[in-house]
Amino acid sequence: QLQLRESGPRLVKPSETLSLTCFVSGASITTDNYYWAWIRQPPGKGLEWLGSISYRGRASYHPSVRGRLFVSVGSSENQFSMRLSSATAADTAVYYCAKHAISHNMAVWGRGTTVVVSS
Amino acid sequence: QSVLTQPPSVSGAPGQRVTISCTGSSSNIGAGYDVHWYQHLPGTAPKLLIYFNNNRPSGVPDRFSGSRSGTSASLAVTGLQPEDEADYYCQSYDSGVSGSVFGGGTRLTVL
């Protein structure tokens, strides 16, 4: 059974880079026709898709974070990662990783990890 | 401001039927892109409830159903049960974003 697990620092200082990794178990990340996504939920707000990547490295980003967000697929392990530069308090959120088909329906999610941007 | 608009809250008594609307535009639902629905309990992973507008993944009760028409979609829950109390989100693809967009979420309260 496919499982996803987010991992990374819980506290990030303003202006620094927020980095998270999603570990994938139960299936290979090198599967055609599927994408690996990052979604976040700021406190008291709804879900926001941030970006997705195919295992071949084709990435797409939400305009609100384009230029700050970089999503990559792990070169040797079954994982993918995100790096969000120039973090601000507005980036404080629960961050989820998920797997989706080309139609964007997200069938499998991680449990999420809370990241706080604060000095 | 979410690209897809949902009511902030709906409620119903056990056994009743409720619907949650999701209003989009010509760049997402109105363009023919599929709508998916998720159930989210705080502190847990969101769960895919409906995909491709009206399909249920294995294990989702048939009390949940979805529909899409024009620039809107809706989720119906019949025979409300206490465990249905959760946040519900609609999602679609948006050509302006070139990616996914979610609704702002609807809190379903079972009275």
Side-chain angles (χ1 to χ4, degrees), chain A residues 4-24:
Chain A
L4 307 181
R5 178 176 59 86
E6 304 88 353
S7 179
R10 300 294 186 95
L11 180 64
V12 176
K13 288 183 168 52
S15 81
E16 295 190 345
T17 296
L18 188 161
S19 298
L20 295 172
T21 297
C22 182
F23 294 95
V24 180

Side-chain angles (χ1 to χ4, degrees), chain B residues 40-109:
Chain B
H40 189 204
L41 293 162
T44 69
K47 172 186 174 183
L48 180 65
L49 203 63
I50 297 287
Y51 65 99
F52 293 157
N53 310 308
N54 55 15
N55 293 273
R56 289 184 306 276
S58 174
V60 174
D62 59 6
R63 301 186 296 103
F64 294 91
S65 63
S67 64
R68 185 191 75 180
S69 178
T71 58
S72 297
S74 65
L75 173 72
V77 187
T78 59
L80 268 181
Q81 298 185 2
E83 58 263 34
D84 297 334
E85 194 161 281
D87 295 325
Y88 292 83
Y89 292 89
C90 61
Q91 178 222 357
S92 186
Y93 179 88
D94 186 277
S95 58
V97 169
S98 294
S100 277
V101 289
F102 286 92
T106 299
R107 172 67 55 90
L108 169 59
T109 301

Side-chain angles (χ1 to χ4, degrees), chain A:
Chain A
Q1 182 181 357
L2 180 64
Q3 291 186 322
L4 307 181
R5 178 176 59 86
E6 304 88 353
S7 179
R10 300 294 186 95
L11 180 64
V12 176
K13 288 183 168 52
S15 81
E16 295 190 345
T17 296
L18 188 161
S19 298
L20 295 172
T21 297
C22 182
F23 294 95
V24 180
S25 61
S28 174
I29 197 172
T30 59
T31 304
D32 275 330
N33 301 321
Y34 286 102
Y35 294 79
W36 307 91
W38 290 98
I39 304 99
R40 70 182 178 185
Q41 183 176 30
K45 297 186 178 181
L47 300 171
E48 178 187 26
W49 170 78
L50 298 175
S52 297
I53 191 167
S54 70
Y55 93 91
R56 296 183 184 274
R58 180 178 178 180
S60 56
Y61 302 105
H62 193 284
S64 67
V65 293
R66 194 172 292 148
R68 289 202 301 136
L69 179 65
F70 178 70
V71 180
S72 60
V73 175
S75 57
S76 58
E77 295 187 41
N78 215 29
Q79 64 186 50
F80 61 104
S81 301
M82 63 164 281
R83 290 171 53 87
L84 185 65
S85 61
S86 305
T88 71
D91 296 315
T92 293
V94 177
Y95 285 78
Y96 298 94
C97 59
K99 171 190 173 183
H100 69 82
I102 195 168
S103 59
H104 279 248
N105 54 299
M106 300 183 183
V108 185
W109 295 65
R111 294 192 65 174
T113 187
T114 299
V115 180
V116 175
V117 180
S118 174
S119 55

Side-chain angles (χ1 to χ4, degrees), chain B residues 17-56:
Chain B
R17 178 182 187 270
V18 296
T19 60
I20 298 173
S21 62
C22 174
T23 303
S25 66
S26 58
S27 63
N28 41 69
I29 302 174
Y33 294 112
D34 293 308
V35 178
H36 318 294
W37 291 89
Y38 301 86
Q39 180 188 60
H40 189 204
L41 293 162
T44 69
K47 172 186 174 183
L48 180 65
L49 203 63
I50 297 287
Y51 65 99
F52 293 157
N53 310 308
N54 55 15
N55 293 273
R56 289 184 306 276

